[in-house]
Amino acid sequence: MAFPDGKTADETFQRLSTAAARISSGTPIQQQPAVEGLGGAGSVAGSIVWSYFHEEVAGTVEVRNPTADAVMEVRAYLEEPLLPTHEDPLKWWESRAPVYPRLSKLMAKKLCVVATSVPSERIFSKTGQIISERRSRLKPKKVRALVFLNANLPKDKKERQKKP
């Protein structure tokens, strides 16, 4: 609904599916169960039948295509009803993590982005104060170190006293 045309929506779907395919789903592939004999004369015939069955099942279970799984996961997600604006998307993704393992990992990376530019603007402003006419010959390495220290050191005396 948020895309201006179908082409943009399709491109986004492809990018999302590709990114999700790169992420491990976290669901383990089923292993072939151990076959135990039943005892007596029937155990040999039973183990041959079951071993053949388990070989066939193992061949179908272990062959998984991460791209196809990711596409199916994205399609299932797109079928979900829209989340109301008053609900928390982080909680929604947390509750849907078992249903959408790849997408929930991808969203954990994307939803943690700071929604404001204030911290970066503050650093740029401080950088402008560090590089002045009197300090115009500072090397880039020294400027980076000064900006880093300025952004990460405690700002007032109370904070300095709290840290040992």
Side-chain angles (χ1 to χ4, degrees), residues 5 11 32 39 92 104 136 145 160:
D5 56 22
E11 288 172 2
Q32 177 177 337
W92 188 90
S104 63
S136 62
R160 288 185 195 135

Side-chain angles (χ1 to χ4, degrees), residues 10 14 29 32 36 39 48 60 63 65 70 73 78 82 96 98-99 104 106 109 114 134 140-141 146 159-161:
D10 290 340
Q14 288 298 332
I29 296 173
Q32 177 177 337
E36 296 182 12
I48 291 172
T60 60
V63 178
N65 184 343
E73 196 172 310
L78 291 175
L82 290 177
R96 299 300 197 288
V99 179
S104 63
L106 186 62
K109 293 178 185 178
V114 179
R134 293 180 66 201
K141 185 176 179 180
L146 287 170
E159 286 184 51
R160 288 185 195 135
Q161 291 171 353

Side-chain angles (χ1 to χ4, degrees), residues 138-158:
L138 287 173
K139 302 279 188 225
K141 185 176 179 180
K142 181 75 80 175
V143 171
R144 280 193 295 274
L146 287 170
V147 169
F148 176 81
L149 290 172
N150 204 300
N152 292 302
L153 288 178
K155 304 292 184 260
D156 61 357
K157 292 179 185 178
K158 289 179 184 176

Side-chain angles (χ1 to χ4, degrees), residues 93-156:
W93 278 107
E94 184 179 15
S95 69
R96 299 300 197 288
V99 179
Y100 307 115
R102 288 179 174 88
L103 289 178
S104 63
K105 290 177 185 177
L106 186 62
M107 290 303 122
K109 293 178 185 178
K110 300 296 181 185
L111 290 176
C112 68
V113 175
V114 179
T116 178
S117 63
V118 172
S120 61
E121 289 177 11
R122 194 172 290 138
I123 291 174
F124 281 121
S125 175
K126 198 63 173 174
T127 304
Q129 293 171 356
I130 291 172
I131 302 173
S132 62
E133 285 188 33
R134 293 180 66 201
R135 295 184 180 176
S136 62
R137 291 187 173 198
L138 287 173
K139 302 279 188 225
K141 185 176 179 180
K142 181 75 80 175
V143 171
R144 280 193 295 274
L146 287 170
V147 169
F148 176 81
L149 290 172
N150 204 300
N152 292 302
L153 288 178
K155 304 292 184 260
D156 61 357

